[in-house]
Amino acid sequence: MNIAEQIYALVKSLPQEQASEVLTFAEFIRTKHLNANQPIDTVDSISWAKLVYSLAGTWREDFPSLEEIRAEMGQDILRESL
């Protein structure tokens, strides 16, 4: 009897809830090993344009404007521009 058959025989004897846990764990193990075998992108392997494109719009709604940043720091924009 191979391992898959042993697991099947064991899981057949479990209640549905516990069998579901075994399935979830097996899927976790499979995903973990699939991800471990995939190469990790490093900063060197990503072009600048691709990086900027991937981040485009991420701060769109909540990123403060230059005026808001300087106002929080107590700096007056008009006075600095003269």
Side-chain angles (χ1 to χ4, degrees):
M1 186 182 289
N2 66 25
I3 292 177
E5 292 168 341
Q6 290 174 353
I7 293 171
Y8 177 69
L10 178 66
V11 172
K12 274 187 3 182
S13 68
L14 295 174
Q16 186 69 26
E17 217 173 84
Q18 292 176 353
S20 179
E21 287 183 40
V22 172
L23 176 62
T24 302
F25 181 70
E27 290 171 340
F28 165 75
I29 294 294
R30 180 180 63 182
T31 302
K32 183 174 115 175
H33 288 284
L34 286 175
N35 290 339
N37 294 331
Q38 293 175 351
I40 299 173
D41 288 337
T42 61
V43 174
D44 295 336
S45 67
I46 300 174
S47 71
W48 178 251
K50 186 176 179 181
L51 176 64
V52 170
Y53 181 76
S54 70
L55 296 174
T58 56
W59 293 325
R60 191 173 119 224
E61 296 297 323
D62 59 347
F63 195 72
S65 65
L66 181 58
E67 292 82 14
E68 292 170 335
I69 293 171
R70 288 188 172 176
E72 289 176 7
M73 293 171 53
Q75 297 176 350
D76 186 1
I77 297 169
L78 294 176
R79 182 179 47 196
E80 288 181 6
S81 63
L82 295 175

